[in-house]
Amino acid sequence: MITWIRIVLVLSAIALMTFVLAPLQIVGLVFDLKLRRRLPRLWHRMACWLLGIRIHVHGELDRRRPLMIAANHASWKDILVLGALADVVYIAKAEVADWPVFGTLSKLQKTIYVVREQKRTTGDQVGEIARRMADGEIVVLFPEGTTSDGNRMLEVKSSLFGAAAAALPLAPDGIVYVQPVAIAYMRVQGMPMGRYHRPIAGWPGDVALLPHLLGVLKAGALDVDVTFGRSIEYDKTSKRKEVSSRIEVMIRHMLLERLRGRHKR
């Protein structure tokens, strides 16, 4: 009974926070104010706090621009975690726009939607990503293209790394920085999560959202390690597939080092 009371209180608090901040965010979007980039970070921080997601950062976000973050993708919680650490904008598949609740929230953050099946629109989508990066926004790409179980990294799809190439003409120094980031869910209620319990944090595509969300709320506090790797400089001599391959190796290495407890403290 106490667990369900806590769940209701948490969801009510998130709903109230959204109700208060959404009108301000809409104004920011309409007039393209800097506020529209900063409010989502506040929302994500509060949401993480209410959900009991404790973030431990290793390394630091690259301060150079234009910047693209490439991260492994275990769950919808990755969006909250990265959004709590920086003013970012996400690249998402077009279907997300129609999801209940999450679709509305993604629109309020001015997410860039990609229709992978329609190649005729790919140029427009890549151009939009490039323009946003050139404008100083940090664009987050989940190059696996889907979520995993949290125990591994799936194969990277290299196509959207082409946005880095498209942003080169708009980059002041002719360089776009691509920073690998590993997100590893490590503990639940302070106890090591282990391979068996990590699906509490992960969200494989065949698991319905509502049961998973309730499972996360019932589990209580989650600890997540976020590791920022060294950025790769993408310039006119770079090749998209080579860069995506290097990024994949770096993310996979950082993720496994965390999960196996072999990282340097």
Side-chain angles (χ1 to χ4, degrees):
M1 181 65 179
I2 294 177
T3 298
W4 282 105
I5 292 175
R6 184 178 65 83
I7 290 174
V8 170
L9 289 175
V10 168
L11 293 179
S12 298
I14 292 176
L16 177 60
M17 174 179 63
T18 305
F19 180 77
V20 171
L21 294 180
L24 296 175
Q25 180 66 3
I26 291 172
V27 171
L29 289 170
V30 170
F31 295 100
D32 195 24
L33 305 176
K34 290 184 178 180
L35 183 73
R36 73 167 178 83
R37 300 184 186 180
R38 297 171 181 171
L39 276 182
R41 186 174 184 181
L42 173 63
W43 188 94
H44 286 126
R45 282 185 172 181
M46 291 300 297
C48 284
W49 182 76
L50 289 167
L51 291 170
I53 300 174
R54 298 182 294 217
I55 306 171
H56 307 273
V57 178
H58 308 274
E60 60 183 19
L61 180 72
D62 199 324
R63 300 188 181 202
R64 297 172 294 182
R65 301 291 182 272
L67 178 64
M68 171 182 282
I69 287 177
N72 63 299
H73 197 18
S75 167
W76 50 269
K77 294 181 294 301
D78 303 337
I79 295 170
L80 301 182
V81 170
L82 291 177
L85 296 177
D87 300 334
V88 299
V89 60
Y90 294 96
I91 301 172
K93 56 186 180 182
E95 303 93 278
V96 172
D98 298 322
W99 288 3
V101 182
F102 284 87
T104 300
L105 292 174
S106 69
K107 291 173 184 175
L108 286 173
Q109 197 167 353
K110 207 173 181 182
T111 294
I112 302 169
Y113 299 110
V114 175
V115 184
R116 297 189 181 97
E117 295 78 13
Q118 297 181 9
K119 292 186 178 181
R120 67 179 183 277
T121 65
T122 299
D124 294 337
Q125 296 160 1
V126 169
E128 172 67 8
I129 297 169
R131 286 190 294 273
R132 300 283 285 276
M133 281 196 294
D135 194 36
E137 295 190 64
I138 303 170
V139 174
V140 176
L141 171 66
F142 295 115
E144 294 162 285
T146 186
T147 52
S148 69
D149 60 4
N151 284 310
R152 59 197 172 117
M153 183 176 179
L154 305 178
E155 183 179 356
V156 161
K157 295 176 173 59
S158 64
S159 58
L160 284 179
F161 280 99
L168 286 177
L170 304 177
D173 300 320
I175 298 174
V176 172
Y177 301 94
V178 183
Q179 185 169 26
V181 175
I183 304 172
Y185 294 89
M186 304 298 294
R187 292 169 293 281
V188 57
Q189 294 288 16
M191 299 296 292
M193 197 172 291
R195 186 178 184 87
Y196 178 77
H197 292 98
R198 195 160 286 113
I200 295 173
W203 181 39
D206 57 351
V207 177
L209 177 59
L210 182 58
H212 177 71
L213 174 59
L214 292 176
V216 170
L217 290 169
K218 289 178 182 178
L222 292 173
D223 286 87
V224 56
D225 283 13
V226 179
T227 306
F228 289 93
R230 186 174 181 177
S231 295
I232 290 178
E233 296 184 0
Y234 197 118
D235 59 27
K236 62 181 181 180
T237 66
S238 300
K239 296 181 179 179
R240 174 173 51 83
K241 290 187 177 181
E242 290 180 0
V243 170
S244 65
S245 179
R246 289 175 61 192
I247 290 290
E248 179 178 0
V249 169
M250 294 171 73
I251 297 174
R252 194 183 303 277
H253 174 75
M254 292 188 297
L255 177 63
L256 291 179
E257 288 287 293
R258 289 287 160 190
L259 295 181
R260 293 171 179 173
R262 297 177 180 174
H263 53 278
K264 296 180 181 179
R265 294 184 181 277

PDB file of all heavy atoms in Angstrom, residues 4 13 17 37 52 78 81 92 94 102 108 137 150-151 154 160 197 231 239 249 252 263:
ATOM      1  N   TRP A   4       2.334   1.998  -3.447  1.00  0.00           N
ATOM      2  CA  TRP A   4       1.391   2.599  -4.389  1.00  0.00           C
ATOM      3  C   TRP A   4       1.125   4.067  -4.051  1.00  0.00           C
ATOM      4  O   TRP A   4       0.941   4.892  -4.943  1.00  0.00           O
ATOM      5  CB  TRP A   4       0.092   1.805  -4.415  1.00  0.00           C
ATOM      6  CG  TRP A   4       0.221   0.554  -5.223  1.00  0.00           C
ATOM      7  CD1 TRP A   4       0.334  -0.720  -4.767  1.00  0.00           C
ATOM      8  CD2 TRP A   4       0.306   0.478  -6.649  1.00  0.00           C
ATOM      9  NE1 TRP A   4       0.481  -1.596  -5.808  1.00  0.00           N
ATOM     10  CE2 TRP A   4       0.454  -0.900  -6.975  1.00  0.00           C
ATOM     11  CE3 TRP A   4       0.267   1.412  -7.681  1.00  0.00           C
ATOM     12  CZ2 TRP A   4       0.569  -1.339  -8.295  1.00  0.00           C
ATOM     13  CZ3 TRP A   4       0.374   0.981  -8.986  1.00  0.00           C
ATOM     14  CH2 TRP A   4       0.521  -0.385  -9.282  1.00  0.00           C
ATOM     15  N   ALA A  13       3.407  14.649  -8.684  1.00  0.00           N
ATOM     16  CA  ALA A  13       4.390  15.735  -8.621  1.00  0.00           C
ATOM     17  C   ALA A  13       4.969  16.032  -9.995  1.00  0.00           C
ATOM     18  O   ALA A  13       5.161  17.201 -10.364  1.00  0.00           O
ATOM     19  CB  ALA A  13       5.501  15.360  -7.639  1.00  0.00           C
ATOM     20  N   MET A  17       4.577  19.550 -11.965  1.00  0.00           N
ATOM     21  CA  MET A  17       5.760  20.250 -12.466  1.00  0.00           C
ATOM     22  C   MET A  17       5.621  20.541 -13.959  1.00  0.00           C
ATOM     23  O   MET A  17       5.940  21.642 -14.434  1.00  0.00           O
ATOM     24  CB  MET A  17       7.003  19.407 -12.203  1.00  0.00           C
ATOM     25  CG  MET A  17       8.283  19.966 -12.797  1.00  0.00           C
ATOM     26  SD  MET A  17       9.724  18.953 -12.431  1.00  0.00           S
ATOM     27  CE  MET A  17       9.304  17.406 -13.269  1.00  0.00           C
ATOM     28  N   ARG A  37      15.795  26.168 -24.075  1.00  0.00           N
ATOM     29  CA  ARG A  37      16.870  25.196 -23.940  1.00  0.00           C
ATOM     30  C   ARG A  37      17.153  24.865 -22.475  1.00  0.00           C
ATOM     31  O   ARG A  37      17.616  23.778 -22.165  1.00  0.00           O
ATOM     32  CB  ARG A  37      18.152  25.734 -24.580  1.00  0.00           C
ATOM     33  CG  ARG A  37      18.025  26.053 -26.065  1.00  0.00           C
ATOM     34  CD  ARG A  37      19.369  26.495 -26.627  1.00  0.00           C
ATOM     35  NE  ARG A  37      19.258  26.942 -28.012  1.00  0.00           N
ATOM     36  CZ  ARG A  37      20.279  27.368 -28.731  1.00  0.00           C
ATOM     37  NH1 ARG A  37      21.491  27.406 -28.193  1.00  0.00           N
ATOM     38  NH2 ARG A  37      20.111  27.771 -29.984  1.00  0.00           N
ATOM     39  N   GLY A  52      13.925   8.981  -8.150  1.00  0.00           N
ATOM     40  CA  GLY A  52      14.979   8.323  -7.394  1.00  0.00           C
ATOM     41  C   GLY A  52      16.160   7.898  -8.243  1.00  0.00           C
ATOM     42  O   GLY A  52      16.889   6.967  -7.878  1.00  0.00           O
ATOM     43  N   ASP A  78      17.315   7.147 -20.099  1.00  0.00           N
ATOM     44  CA  ASP A  78      18.531   7.781 -20.635  1.00  0.00           C
ATOM     45  C   ASP A  78      18.263   9.239 -20.994  1.00  0.00           C
ATOM     46  O   ASP A  78      19.127  10.104 -20.843  1.00  0.00           O
ATOM     47  CB  ASP A  78      19.013   7.042 -21.886  1.00  0.00           C
ATOM     48  CG  ASP A  78      19.274   5.571 -21.643  1.00  0.00           C
ATOM     49  OD1 ASP A  78      19.503   5.191 -20.476  1.00  0.00           O
ATOM     50  OD2 ASP A  78      19.247   4.798 -22.621  1.00  0.00           O
ATOM     51  N   VAL A  81      18.283  11.273 -17.853  1.00  0.00           N
ATOM     52  CA  VAL A  81      19.642  11.358 -17.307  1.00  0.00           C
ATOM     53  C   VAL A  81      20.491  12.376 -18.068  1.00  0.00           C
ATOM     54  O   VAL A  81      21.085  13.287 -17.473  1.00  0.00           O
ATOM     55  CB  VAL A  81      20.311   9.975 -17.318  1.00  0.00           C
ATOM     56  CG1 VAL A  81      21.797  10.082 -16.998  1.00  0.00           C
ATOM     57  CG2 VAL A  81      19.628   9.042 -16.317  1.00  0.00           C
ATOM     58  N   ALA A  92      15.105  11.485 -32.574  1.00  0.00           N
ATOM     59  CA  ALA A  92      14.220  10.354 -32.268  1.00  0.00           C
ATOM     60  C   ALA A  92      13.495   9.888 -33.524  1.00  0.00           C
ATOM     61  O   ALA A  92      13.309  10.658 -34.471  1.00  0.00           O
ATOM     62  CB  ALA A  92      13.203  10.746 -31.198  1.00  0.00           C
ATOM     63  N   ALA A  94      10.371   8.979 -35.817  1.00  0.00           N
ATOM     64  CA  ALA A  94       9.163   9.784 -35.991  1.00  0.00           C
ATOM     65  C   ALA A  94       7.984   9.285 -35.160  1.00  0.00           C
ATOM     66  O   ALA A  94       7.131  10.066 -34.735  1.00  0.00           O
ATOM     67  CB  ALA A  94       8.775   9.814 -37.471  1.00  0.00           C
ATOM     68  N   PHE A 102       4.827  10.971 -23.697  1.00  0.00           N
ATOM     69  CA  PHE A 102       6.206  11.117 -24.134  1.00  0.00           C
ATOM     70  C   PHE A 102       6.289  11.916 -25.435  1.00  0.00           C
ATOM     71  O   PHE A 102       7.242  12.663 -25.645  1.00  0.00           O
ATOM     72  CB  PHE A 102       6.869   9.749 -24.298  1.00  0.00           C
ATOM     73  CG  PHE A 102       7.243   9.104 -22.999  1.00  0.00           C
ATOM     74  CD1 PHE A 102       6.340   8.323 -22.307  1.00  0.00           C
ATOM     75  CD2 PHE A 102       8.505   9.305 -22.447  1.00  0.00           C
ATOM     76  CE1 PHE A 102       6.679   7.737 -21.095  1.00  0.00           C
ATOM     77  CE2 PHE A 102       8.858   8.733 -21.242  1.00  0.00           C
ATOM     78  CZ  PHE A 102       7.938   7.941 -20.554  1.00  0.00           C
ATOM     79  N   LEU A 108       7.828  19.436 -26.773  1.00  0.00           N
ATOM     80  CA  LEU A 108       8.157  20.606 -25.956  1.00  0.00           C
ATOM     81  C   LEU A 108       9.667  20.836 -25.884  1.00  0.00           C
ATOM     82  O   LEU A 108      10.108  21.959 -25.652  1.00  0.00           O
ATOM     83  CB  LEU A 108       7.582  20.436 -24.542  1.00  0.00           C
ATOM     84  CG  LEU A 108       6.066  20.619 -24.401  1.00  0.00           C
ATOM     85  CD1 LEU A 108       5.611  20.246 -23.002  1.00  0.00           C
ATOM     86  CD2 LEU A 108       5.664  22.047 -24.740  1.00  0.00           C
ATOM     87  N   GLU A 137      23.470  24.191 -30.273  1.00  0.00           N
ATOM     88  CA  GLU A 137      22.741  23.175 -29.516  1.00  0.00           C
ATOM     89  C   GLU A 137      23.520  21.855 -29.502  1.00  0.00           C
ATOM     90  O   GLU A 137      24.166  21.486 -30.492  1.00  0.00           O
ATOM     91  CB  GLU A 137      21.349  22.957 -30.110  1.00  0.00           C
ATOM     92  CG  GLU A 137      20.458  24.177 -29.991  1.00  0.00           C
ATOM     93  CD  GLU A 137      19.011  23.873 -30.369  1.00  0.00           C
ATOM     94  OE1 GLU A 137      18.366  23.074 -29.674  1.00  0.00           O
ATOM     95  OE2 GLU A 137      18.546  24.438 -31.373  1.00  0.00           O
ATOM     96  N   GLY A 150      20.157  -3.242 -21.305  1.00  0.00           N
ATOM     97  CA  GLY A 150      21.039  -2.610 -20.334  1.00  0.00           C
ATOM     98  C   GLY A 150      22.318  -3.365 -20.054  1.00  0.00           C
ATOM     99  O   GLY A 150      23.207  -2.870 -19.362  1.00  0.00           O
ATOM    100  N   ASN A 151      22.443  -4.578 -20.585  1.00  0.00           N
ATOM    101  CA  ASN A 151      23.631  -5.394 -20.343  1.00  0.00           C
ATOM    102  C   ASN A 151      24.653  -5.323 -21.470  1.00  0.00           C
ATOM    103  O   ASN A 151      25.747  -5.862 -21.347  1.00  0.00           O
ATOM    104  CB  ASN A 151      23.226  -6.866 -20.153  1.00  0.00           C
ATOM    105  CG  ASN A 151      22.614  -7.107 -18.788  1.00  0.00           C
ATOM    106  OD1 ASN A 151      23.170  -6.712 -17.779  1.00  0.00           O
ATOM    107  ND2 ASN A 151      21.454  -7.743 -18.761  1.00  0.00           N
ATOM    108  N   LEU A 154      24.105  -2.611 -28.642  1.00  0.00           N
ATOM    109  CA  LEU A 154      23.745  -3.193 -29.923  1.00  0.00           C
ATOM    110  C   LEU A 154      24.604  -2.580 -31.029  1.00  0.00           C
ATOM    111  O   LEU A 154      25.335  -1.619 -30.812  1.00  0.00           O
ATOM    112  CB  LEU A 154      22.264  -2.954 -30.204  1.00  0.00           C
ATOM    113  CG  LEU A 154      21.287  -3.449 -29.127  1.00  0.00           C
ATOM    114  CD1 LEU A 154      19.860  -3.094 -29.504  1.00  0.00           C
ATOM    115  CD2 LEU A 154      21.437  -4.945 -28.897  1.00  0.00           C
ATOM    116  N   LEU A 160      23.070   8.384 -39.505  1.00  0.00           N
ATOM    117  CA  LEU A 160      22.847   9.741 -39.000  1.00  0.00           C
ATOM    118  C   LEU A 160      24.126  10.446 -38.584  1.00  0.00           C
ATOM    119  O   LEU A 160      24.107  11.646 -38.303  1.00  0.00           O
ATOM    120  CB  LEU A 160      21.848   9.723 -37.840  1.00  0.00           C
ATOM    121  CG  LEU A 160      20.391   9.539 -38.280  1.00  0.00           C
ATOM    122  CD1 LEU A 160      19.468   9.515 -37.084  1.00  0.00           C
ATOM    123  CD2 LEU A 160      19.967  10.631 -39.247  1.00  0.00           C
ATOM    124  N   HIS A 197      19.127  -8.334 -12.659  1.00  0.00           N
ATOM    125  CA  HIS A 197      18.211  -7.262 -12.280  1.00  0.00           C
ATOM    126  C   HIS A 197      18.303  -6.028 -13.169  1.00  0.00           C
ATOM    127  O   HIS A 197      17.477  -5.133 -13.059  1.00  0.00           O
ATOM    128  CB  HIS A 197      18.478  -6.844 -10.823  1.00  0.00           C
ATOM    129  CG  HIS A 197      18.115  -7.898  -9.830  1.00  0.00           C
ATOM    130  ND1 HIS A 197      19.047  -8.754  -9.289  1.00  0.00           N
ATOM    131  CD2 HIS A 197      16.918  -8.257  -9.302  1.00  0.00           C
ATOM    132  CE1 HIS A 197      18.447  -9.578  -8.456  1.00  0.00           C
ATOM    133  NE2 HIS A 197      17.158  -9.300  -8.448  1.00  0.00           N
ATOM    134  N   SER A 231      36.261  13.193 -27.185  1.00  0.00           N
ATOM    135  CA  SER A 231      35.597  13.482 -28.458  1.00  0.00           C
ATOM    136  C   SER A 231      36.484  13.158 -29.657  1.00  0.00           C
ATOM    137  O   SER A 231      37.709  13.255 -29.588  1.00  0.00           O
ATOM    138  CB  SER A 231      35.186  14.958 -28.529  1.00  0.00           C
ATOM    139  OG  SER A 231      34.224  15.258 -27.558  1.00  0.00           O
ATOM    140  N   LYS A 239      35.645  10.021 -42.571  1.00  0.00           N
ATOM    141  CA  LYS A 239      34.683   9.150 -43.240  1.00  0.00           C
ATOM    142  C   LYS A 239      33.656   8.674 -42.218  1.00  0.00           C
ATOM    143  O   LYS A 239      34.007   8.208 -41.145  1.00  0.00           O
ATOM    144  CB  LYS A 239      35.394   7.960 -43.877  1.00  0.00           C
ATOM    145  CG  LYS A 239      36.361   8.381 -44.991  1.00  0.00           C
ATOM    146  CD  LYS A 239      37.029   7.177 -45.633  1.00  0.00           C
ATOM    147  CE  LYS A 239      37.974   7.626 -46.750  1.00  0.00           C
ATOM    148  NZ  LYS A 239      38.664   6.466 -47.389  1.00  0.00           N
ATOM    149  N   VAL A 249      33.171   1.439 -30.736  1.00  0.00           N
ATOM    150  CA  VAL A 249      34.200   0.749 -29.935  1.00  0.00           C
ATOM    151  C   VAL A 249      34.403   1.472 -28.602  1.00  0.00           C
ATOM    152  O   VAL A 249      34.503   0.833 -27.542  1.00  0.00           O
ATOM    153  CB  VAL A 249      35.532   0.675 -30.716  1.00  0.00           C
ATOM    154  CG1 VAL A 249      36.662   0.212 -29.797  1.00  0.00           C
ATOM    155  CG2 VAL A 249      35.395  -0.274 -31.895  1.00  0.00           C
ATOM    156  N   ARG A 252      31.245   1.012 -26.298  1.00  0.00           N
ATOM    157  CA  ARG A 252      31.179  -0.372 -25.831  1.00  0.00           C
ATOM    158  C   ARG A 252      32.225  -0.631 -24.741  1.00  0.00           C
ATOM    159  O   ARG A 252      31.948  -1.276 -23.733  1.00  0.00           O
ATOM    160  CB  ARG A 252      31.380  -1.325 -27.013  1.00  0.00           C
ATOM    161  CG  ARG A 252      30.991  -2.766 -26.711  1.00  0.00           C
ATOM    162  CD  ARG A 252      31.284  -3.661 -27.910  1.00  0.00           C
ATOM    163  NE  ARG A 252      30.605  -3.204 -29.116  1.00  0.00           N
ATOM    164  CZ  ARG A 252      29.336  -3.497 -29.402  1.00  0.00           C
ATOM    165  NH1 ARG A 252      28.631  -4.231 -28.569  1.00  0.00           N
ATOM    166  NH2 ARG A 252      28.796  -3.055 -30.524  1.00  0.00           N
ATOM    167  N   HIS A 263      36.677  -0.268 -14.053  1.00  0.00           N
ATOM    168  CA  HIS A 263      37.070   1.095 -14.334  1.00  0.00           C
ATOM    169  C   HIS A 263      38.013   1.601 -13.239  1.00  0.00           C
ATOM    170  O   HIS A 263      38.019   1.102 -12.114  1.00  0.00           O
ATOM    171  CB  HIS A 263      35.846   2.001 -14.401  1.00  0.00           C
ATOM    172  CG  HIS A 263      34.981   1.883 -13.175  1.00  0.00           C
ATOM    173  ND1 HIS A 263      34.059   0.871 -13.008  1.00  0.00           N
ATOM    174  CD2 HIS A 263      34.930   2.621 -12.055  1.00  0.00           C
ATOM    175  CE1 HIS A 263      33.452   1.010 -11.845  1.00  0.00           C
ATOM    176  NE2 HIS A 263      33.954   2.058 -11.242  1.00  0.00           N
TER     177      HIS A 263
END
